[in-house]
């Protein structure tokens, strides 16, 4: 079962329209309205195997709200549940702008409606409810190629960057290196879980695949969220998932002992 949750009713209506174009998913997908800061209000006592946020928490107005949302995420996770987030961090933003400065390129500012995380603060403030925290700079080379090298070439040639240029479709194929992207993949396990005993992720572990590039306006990140592929699910029943949009989470009653995995996906709508 996939349950999509968004803060805005208009986005949910759009999601329903798009779902109508995918009849094969109609019996497995539904949508609810809710708030990422108070996921329990949307799902009640239901627990989930995975919660995914996709450049959503960076739109909350303060650090207190962001970490309240992450605390809420932990409370709706099953004991062996995982959090997977694609969110923005200042470390990559600073490294990107430092590289741009060496080529006399202007700084890319953080947009007014975004509040990027900082890794040290993230680790400290999520440690009460997450463990096995890791970061993947999957978009670093893409950002370096498109926001530094390509931007410098455009400046030298006296032309505006073309966000339909092939570099945006090819840049993500380059080998991963450095920390030049504000966009990072975060993964963690709910603290107190029991890895290896009914765990959702078993060999092989979570894989990520780069999705196609999405043209954006100048100064915007310019890359769509990577798709997270579940691998090695060892459950006796068919896997199900719960996907979400902007602000929060899904529902589905929790079965006993063996459960089909359920995923909560929180997506950006701004």
């Amino acid at each position: 079962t996939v349950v999509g949750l968004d803060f805005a009713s208009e986005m949910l209506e759009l999601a329903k329209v798009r779902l109508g174009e995918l009849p094969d998913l109609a019996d497995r997908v539904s949508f609810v309205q809710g708030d990422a800061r108070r996921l329990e209000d949307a799902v009640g006592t239901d627990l989930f195997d995975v919660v995914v946020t996709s450049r959503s928490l960076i739109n909350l107005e303060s650090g207190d709200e962001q970490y309240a949302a992450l605390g809420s995420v932990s409370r709706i996770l099953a004991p062996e549940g995982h959090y997977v987030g694609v969110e923005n961090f200042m470390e990559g933003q600073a490294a990107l702008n430092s590289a741009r400065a060496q080529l006399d390129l202007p700084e890319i500012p953080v947009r007014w409606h975004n509040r990027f995380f900082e890794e040290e603060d993230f680790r400290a403030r999520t440690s009460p409810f997450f463990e096995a925290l890791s970061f993947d700079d999957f978009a670093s080379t893409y950002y370096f190629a498109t926001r530094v090298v390509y931007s410098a070439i455009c400046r030298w040639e006296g032309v505006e960057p073309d966000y339909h240029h092939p570099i945006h479709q090819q840049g993500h194929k380059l080998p991963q290196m450095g920390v030049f992207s504000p966009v990072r993949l975060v993964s963690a396990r709910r603290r107190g879980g029991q890895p290896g005993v009914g765990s959702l992720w078993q060999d092989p572990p979570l894989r990520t695949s780069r999705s196609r590039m999405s043209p954006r306006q100048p100064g915007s990140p310019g890359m769509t969220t990577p798709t997270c592929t579940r691998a090695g699910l060892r459950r006796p029943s068919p896997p199900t998932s719960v996907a979400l949009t902007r602000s929060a989470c899904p529902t589905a009653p929790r079965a006993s002992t063996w459960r089909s995995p359920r995923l909560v996906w929180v997506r950006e709508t701004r």
Side-chain angles (χ1 to χ4, degrees):
T1 302
V2 176
V3 181
L5 186 147
D6 198 287
F7 186 78
S9 59
E10 296 86 353
M11 296 303 297
L12 293 175
E13 290 304 316
L14 177 60
K16 291 175 183 177
V17 171
R18 291 180 174 174
L19 178 61
E21 301 170 358
L22 302 168
D24 292 344
L25 298 179
D27 61 342
R28 294 191 287 122
V29 179
S30 60
F31 302 98
V32 294
Q33 188 171 8
D35 189 327
R37 298 165 296 183
R38 296 181 295 276
L39 296 177
E40 301 95 322
D41 292 349
V43 302
T45 58
D46 291 339
L47 297 180
F48 302 90
D49 296 293
V50 181
V51 175
V52 178
T53 67
S54 175
R55 292 168 67 183
S56 172
L57 303 184
I58 60 170
N59 293 311
L60 295 175
E61 294 184 351
S62 70
D64 288 343
E65 287 190 335
Q66 290 175 324
Y67 291 107
L70 286 164
S72 184
V73 165
S74 72
R75 289 190 293 275
I76 68 165
L77 282 172
E80 70 274 19
H82 287 69
Y83 165 65
V84 179
V86 178
E87 299 289 346
N88 288 39
F89 286 77
M90 285 304 302
E91 288 81 3
Q93 181 79 3
L96 178 66
N97 280 325
S98 177
R100 286 173 60 88
Q102 294 183 48
L103 296 176
D104 297 321
L105 295 170
E107 178 178 307
I108 297 177
V110 176
R111 290 178 174 244
W112 68 268
H113 58 272
N114 290 154
R115 187 184 189 280
F116 288 6
F117 289 99
E118 294 183 4
E119 182 177 334
E120 183 177 355
D121 189 48
F122 190 97
R123 289 183 179 276
R125 296 186 69 173
T126 61
S127 63
F129 36 85
F130 289 141
E131 59 188 4
L133 181 65
S134 66
F135 296 87
D136 184 347
D137 295 291
F138 69 94
S140 177
T141 310
Y142 168 79
Y143 267 74
F144 190 84
T146 60
R147 299 299 190 272
V148 180
V149 178
Y150 175 62
S151 294
I153 292 173
C154 289
R155 179 166 181 167
W156 297 334
E157 293 180 346
V159 298
E160 289 295 318
D162 176 6
Y163 289 88
H164 296 278
H165 190 279
I167 189 65
H168 295 282
Q169 281 70 46
Q170 301 300 319
H172 72 289
K173 298 178 181 178
L174 295 170
Q176 181 177 321
M177 67 172 194
V179 187
F180 295 103
S181 168
V183 184
R184 308 181 80 184
L185 176 66
V186 184
S187 63
R189 183 174 61 241
R190 175 185 164 182
R191 186 167 291 282
Q194 301 178 21
V197 182
S199 177
L200 177 62
W201 308 117
Q202 300 185 21
D203 281 341
L206 176 68
R207 297 194 301 263
T208 59
S209 59
R210 278 67 171 178
S211 57
R212 64 181 178 83
M213 299 300 105
S214 175
R216 302 234 180 189
Q217 296 302 314
S220 104
M223 183 175 184
T224 58
T225 303
T227 57
C228 296
T229 305
R230 289 169 295 153
L233 289 173
R234 297 177 182 175
R235 303 276 185 166
S237 53
T240 62
S241 61
V242 180
L244 289 108
T245 51
R246 162 97 170 73
S247 66
C249 81
T251 71
R254 184 184 181 190
S256 60
T257 314
W258 286 102
R259 293 170 291 112
S260 297
R262 294 192 296 279
L263 167 70
V264 176
W265 186 5
V266 184
R267 240 188 98 235
E268 172 192 32
T269 57
R270 290 197 186 191

